[in-house]
Amino acid sequence: MAEQKTKPTGASVDAFLDAAEPARRVEEGHRLAAIMREETGEEPVLWGPSIVGFGSYRYVSPSKTSRAEGEWPKVGFSPRKGALSLYGLKDLPEGAALLPQLGGYTEGAGCVYVKRLEQVDEAVLRELIRIAHARGDDPARDE
């Protein structure tokens, strides 16, 4: 089985956020980190070179061929140039059902993209974060 590439690091989250571009991503990154810290009660950890994560869970890939297992943040984000990439918000049915109320966003395979933090409903964002953070480990699959 291949080793998981994206893992928690000891790198400074603040230094990573301070280096975000464009300049508005620095402010948005720190604001989003504060919101996630408030809603999860967790301190942020830099996962790999570019994901700020809060909490973690063990997953088991649903693929019958790879059976990959690993650890991933319950909720997290990356302040990328084009958009904020938000992780974990649509993984659970309750989050997926609430997501349309978030405001301006687009979806990728495993994340939600937000061009500007000010364009989303903060109350909905906070609820999505709480839902994502409440997840447990994936049950082991015995198929």
Side-chain angles (χ1 to χ4, degrees), residues 120-137:
V120 300
D121 183 317
E122 187 174 316
V124 173
L125 176 61
R126 286 176 179 273
E127 180 63 19
L128 287 165
I129 292 166
R130 287 191 296 271
I131 290 168
H133 188 260
R135 82 178 301 153
D137 290 340

Side-chain angles (χ1 to χ4, degrees), residues 56-98:
S56 67
Y57 73 99
R58 301 275 317 153
Y59 69 84
V60 178
S61 170
S63 170
K64 293 183 181 192
T65 56
S66 72
R67 303 290 296 160
E69 296 183 33
E71 185 178 10
W72 193 251
K74 288 184 175 185
V75 64
F77 72 95
S78 186
R80 304 194 191 279
K81 281 186 182 182
L84 294 164
S85 298
L86 309 176
Y87 300 94
L89 300 187
K90 65 179 196 162
D91 293 352
L92 299 175
E94 307 95 296
L98 183 60

